[in-house]
Amino acid sequence: MSDQTRFILNETDLPKAWYNILADSPVPPAPVLHPQTLEPVTPDFLSVLFPMELILQEISTERFIEIPEPVREIYKLYRPTPLVRARRLEQMLDTPAHIYFKNESVSPVGSHKPNTAIAQAYYNKAAGTKAMTTETGAGQWGAALSMACNFFGIDLEVYMVKVSYEQKPYRRIFMQTYGAQVFPSPSERTQYGRALLARDPNNRGSLGIAISEAVEAAATSGGTKKYSLGSVLNHVLLHQTVIGEEALKQMDLAGEYPDVVIGCVGGGSNFAGLAYPFLRQNLKDGQRTRLVAVEPTATPSLTKGVYTFDYGDTARMAPIVKMYTLGHTFMPAGIHAGGLRYHGMAPSLSALYDAGLIEAAAVPQVATFEAAVLFTRAEGILPAPESAHAVRVAIDEALEAKKRGEKRVILFNLSGHGHFDMAAYQSYLAGELQDYAYPAEAVAEAMKELPQVEMAAV
Ligand SMILES: *Cc1c(COP(=O)(O)O)cnc(C)c1O
């Protein structure tokens, strides 16, 4: 076991391939369905929204997919990211556990999201795309794609959930600085946005609505704009596995192997990015690492949702996928982890959770910020409210190890820093944050709106 604190790889150790879980997953993926016909989608339908290379990655079962050299060159601006042993946190908790975290907050925009944004912009550029559309909640994804599109000379329009657009101007300005156009959603720019505003001019928006607008803007552009999604889809999770591939090498440098791997989940990409390479070692190499996906009690798609076919967006324009869902009509409570407010969960992750290969935990907001403040004071890094969910469970694991007097090796993903989330910390420090548990009745109610998929048809 190493006595180092930070485990740093060289540029030459940057992974050359992403890992595709579909090659090894014992649960076959459910078909993706067309939102109107409810029949399996054709590449033609998807090619309105995405370049062919990303569609092929979406359905690929090849185990490793080579990372193109121009993508690796840009990765080198911040990758490989450090793996850090949280020694001061261990001391503060007085635990025999060893706590490691993968620090994805060191990317230029402060989160893991550029890992896929750069890849998606690259494949779009290679296919001749001149303009793209996307949605963003609090702005983390929007900032990542703004940076990536700027690197590849692609125009970008971002539909930003209106409540964030108004209350969190800094990430909007960040996106604009990269040259992106940012619109509050619902907007007057799309038919769907106009319809919603006609019904309620004060509609504050949701991620599901913003996705609908970004999809409509691309789908009705006559082929001039492509759409991009920052989580959920197979190709997005694929691109994020660069995190776990590096972490495997770094745990090796540390001379340890994790008993438990932890990540927060919104759509599932940062968790899958770290966990899938370790899941491969479970499936193929006889390792027995527990993999824990952490969500807020306010958006409990895995722990309270239903595993079924549902629309990916509120307006029912995006494809239907089989996933753990709270229903596409879900309107999130105003919790501070903006990146964790999606109604569904990545299909591959949903299938693996359903098969019992992955665990899930839901944690309430106040305890999450308690953990975030403890982590800040111990390690000096102020985590994103999203990442703080992983910090909470990492600390709980360390405390349980202490109670049992056992050594436990814990690895979690610090998916981002919280420098743009000071208002959330301010509320916490002022004692104003409240817990919220999404009611099971609301899930049951939303299930009435599911697409009526004939199982025979799929
Ligand atoms: C977007 C975001 C998340 C949630 O998205 P996933 O796809 O589940 O990873 C988590 N943490 C940070 C910092 C984010 O920006």
Side-chain angles (χ1 to χ4, degrees):
M1 194 188 61
S2 165
D3 57 8
Q4 272 176 240
T5 296
R6 273 157 52 94
F7 300 91
I8 309 291
L9 298 171
N10 293 320
E11 260 180 40
T12 47
D13 294 318
L14 188 64
K16 296 201 163 53
W18 295 298
Y19 170 58
N20 182 5
I21 190 68
L22 296 185
D24 295 320
S25 173
V27 274
V32 175
L33 307 180
H34 190 288
Q36 275 101 49
T37 65
L38 309 187
E39 297 288 329
V41 289
T42 57
D44 270 2
F45 170 76
L46 292 176
S47 68
V48 173
L49 299 179
F50 304 106
M52 193 47 73
E53 204 59 39
L54 291 176
I55 296 171
L56 293 174
Q57 289 183 358
E58 190 62 23
I59 55 177
S60 169
T61 53
E62 218 174 301
R63 182 164 291 115
F64 291 102
I65 295 181
E66 195 184 315
I67 307 175
E69 208 43 47
V71 173
R72 293 182 81 238
E73 284 307 313
I74 295 180
Y75 276 176
K76 286 176 188 169
L77 291 176
Y78 64 98
R79 304 210 72 85
T81 62
L83 178 85
V84 184
R85 172 132 174 234
R87 292 181 184 274
R88 292 175 49 85
L89 180 63
E90 290 169 13
Q91 279 157 17
M92 219 179 238
L93 299 172
D94 188 25
T95 174
H98 292 182
I99 307 173
Y100 293 85
F101 63 93
K102 184 70 167 151
N103 189 1
E104 290 296 304
S105 81
V106 301
S107 87
V109 299
S111 78
H112 65 292
K113 292 209 168 73
N115 298 333
T116 185
I118 293 161
Q120 292 192 48
Y122 166 78
Y123 288 114
N124 269 284
K125 184 69 180 181
T129 304
K130 300 232 171 358
M132 292 170 71
T133 71
T134 198
E135 70 290 328
T136 196
Q140 284 130 323
W141 168 242
L145 193 63
S146 298
M147 178 183 78
C149 282
N150 144 72
F151 285 154
F152 285 102
I154 297 171
D155 290 340
L156 177 65
E157 55 189 67
V158 182
Y159 292 84
M160 183 173 189
V161 176
K162 191 187 280 168
V163 58
S164 299
Y165 182 94
E166 287 167 355
Q167 292 177 2
K168 301 181 177 174
Y170 295 133
R171 276 215 188 80
R172 163 165 60 81
I173 299 161
F174 200 9
M175 293 185 264
Q176 290 165 334
T177 305
Y178 286 118
Q181 282 185 285
V182 187
F183 306 103
S185 165
S187 76
E188 294 285 348
R189 294 176 57 86
T190 65
Q191 211 181 348
Y192 185 58
R194 287 190 294 275
L196 289 177
L197 290 174
R199 234 179 294 158
D200 175 12
N202 296 319
N203 189 315
R204 289 151 55 89
S206 72
L207 202 55
I209 292 170
I211 294 175
S212 300
E213 287 205 275
V215 167
E216 182 187 326
T220 58
S221 70
T224 61
K225 294 174 192 169
K226 295 284 189 220
Y227 166 72
S228 169
L229 188 64
S231 188
V232 179
L233 299 176
N234 293 336
H235 67 264
V236 179
L237 274 54
L238 170 81
H239 300 152
Q240 292 294 352
T241 58
V242 65
I243 302 172
E245 294 299 342
E246 287 177 6
L248 274 169
K249 291 186 194 173
Q250 288 163 310
M251 288 303 308
D252 213 34
L253 290 182
E256 302 212 81
Y257 197 84
D259 297 305
V260 55
V261 167
I262 300 160
C264 66
V265 285
S269 75
N270 87 83
F271 169 76
L274 178 63
Y276 282 0
F278 287 93
L279 178 57
R280 174 184 71 224
Q281 301 308 100
N282 283 359
L283 294 169
K284 314 271 294 176
D285 205 35
Q287 296 288 357
R288 303 179 59 164
T289 301
R290 291 167 47 226
L291 308 167
V292 186
V294 190
E295 56 192 14
T297 53
T299 52
S301 8
L302 290 174
T303 52
K304 273 195 188 165
V306 177
Y307 186 41
T308 185
F309 283 95
D310 196 8
Y311 300 97
D313 70 329
T314 310
R316 308 173 173 200
M317 282 185 289
I320 295 167
V321 294
K322 190 172 184 194
M323 60 180 174
Y324 276 87
T325 178
L326 299 166
H328 62 277
T329 50
F330 174 69
M331 281 301 273
I335 59 156
H336 281 292
L340 304 183
R341 284 189 285 199
Y342 185 59
H343 66 271
M345 189 55 63
S348 69
L349 188 55
S350 296
L352 291 163
Y353 174 64
D354 191 55
L357 294 168
I358 279 168
E359 299 172 28
V363 293
Q365 184 164 243
V366 175
T368 298
F369 274 87
E370 228 166 63
V373 169
L374 191 67
F375 184 81
T376 306
R377 291 179 185 175
E379 298 296 322
I381 303 173
L382 184 141
E386 292 84 359
S387 319
H389 290 74
V391 176
R392 175 73 264 168
V393 171
I395 289 176
D396 290 344
E397 289 279 338
L399 292 176
E400 197 193 76
K402 174 181 174 178
K403 207 162 79 190
R404 296 193 184 188
E406 70 184 38
K407 190 195 151 206
R408 193 177 292 189
V409 180
I410 300 164
L411 167 61
F412 75 90
N413 202 4
L414 188 77
S415 53
H417 67 62
H419 297 182
F420 288 105
D421 301 287
M422 288 305 154
Y425 278 87
Q426 183 179 35
S427 303
Y428 172 75
L429 294 173
E432 287 163 8
L433 275 196
Q434 284 178 1
D435 285 339
Y436 174 76
Y438 192 66
E441 306 81 66
V443 182
E445 191 59 30
M447 291 304 119
K448 295 177 186 157
E449 307 289 328
L450 289 178
Q452 297 303 308
V453 175
E454 286 285 343
M455 290 314 292
V458 302

